[in-house]
Amino acid sequence: MDKQSGKDFQRPQYMRLVKRMRPEDLLYIKSIDRLGRNYEEILDQWRMLTKEKGIDIAVLECRCWIPAGGGI
């Protein structure tokens, strides 16, 4: 679990998580704003995770699951 500030994506625990994830893995996040603070950086990370790595994302706060082919 990454508990470091979300000011950017250069967080050691987050980078370790992303490196270990594989296509069709499911990443749970509490809310989109917990992923990061900067809207453009969140979108870039979201695209990288879903489009490039093929990872599905479940956002618990909105009770939604967005498959890798989907997007925001």
Side-chain angles (χ1 to χ4, degrees):
M1 181 180 295
D2 181 20
K3 293 192 176 220
Q4 193 171 358
S5 168
K7 70 176 184 154
D8 61 35
F9 290 94
Q10 301 305 311
R11 306 183 306 259
Q13 293 283 31
Y14 178 76
M15 292 177 3
R16 188 175 306 127
L17 169 75
V18 170
K19 187 175 182 179
R20 294 184 67 174
M21 296 197 84
R22 302 290 175 245
E24 298 185 20
D25 279 353
L26 178 58
L27 174 63
Y28 288 93
I29 58 173
K30 182 177 179 179
S31 63
I32 292 175
D33 67 330
R34 300 311 304 156
L35 189 57
R37 292 187 187 157
N38 179 295
Y39 182 72
E40 290 300 319
E41 288 180 1
I42 292 171
L43 286 177
D44 290 342
Q45 284 296 304
W46 192 283
R47 287 183 193 112
M48 182 272 297
L49 292 168
T50 59
K51 305 261 186 236
E52 294 175 23
K53 292 188 75 71
I55 296 167
D56 297 331
I57 300 175
V59 181
L60 301 177
E61 186 176 85
C62 72
R63 297 185 182 163
C64 59
W65 168 70
I66 303 168
I72 58 172

